[in-house]
Amino acid sequence: MTQDEMRQKASEARREAKALQQKLQTVTDPDERKMLARQMNDLFAQAASLRDEAKRRHYQEQSIERDFRCMETNLED
């Protein structure tokens, strides 16, 4: 999965979690509230995990590119 796809899936998960959060405000059944809260928390956690992984990959790519440029410069000298 690419970084953009990860960010997109994170946005979708967050959007779904926000929708569940709104629905949670109108639900009165305790069991259903627990289920919705659990789903909402899972979606928020999934979104955070996907965002963090996308950031980690981005920084890793930048680091590799810097290392490559450094090696290239050293070879030119």
Side-chain angles (χ1 to χ4, degrees):
M1 183 180 318
T2 68
Q3 292 174 29
D4 289 335
E5 289 172 336
M6 286 181 172
R7 287 187 194 102
Q8 181 65 32
K9 284 195 181 268
S11 292
E12 290 170 7
R14 191 159 169 73
R15 199 173 309 118
E16 288 177 39
K18 288 284 191 179
L20 287 177
Q21 194 174 35
Q22 290 294 325
K23 185 176 179 180
L24 190 63
Q25 293 177 357
T26 61
V27 174
T28 57
D29 179 46
D31 291 332
E32 189 176 353
R33 286 181 61 81
K34 280 183 188 178
M35 183 190 68
L36 287 173
R38 213 172 269 132
Q39 287 176 342
M40 184 183 71
N41 287 338
D42 288 345
L43 286 168
F44 277 129
Q46 179 185 11
S49 176
L50 286 167
R51 270 195 326 267
D52 290 346
E53 180 63 18
K55 284 181 189 177
R56 186 191 68 75
R57 286 186 184 185
H58 175 74
Y59 294 136
Q60 184 179 28
E61 283 180 7
Q62 285 182 332
S63 176
I64 290 170
E65 188 173 331
R66 277 193 306 272
D67 289 347
F68 180 76
R69 286 185 182 172
C70 183
M71 288 173 22
E72 192 176 54
T73 302
N74 288 340
L75 288 175
E76 289 174 358
D77 290 343

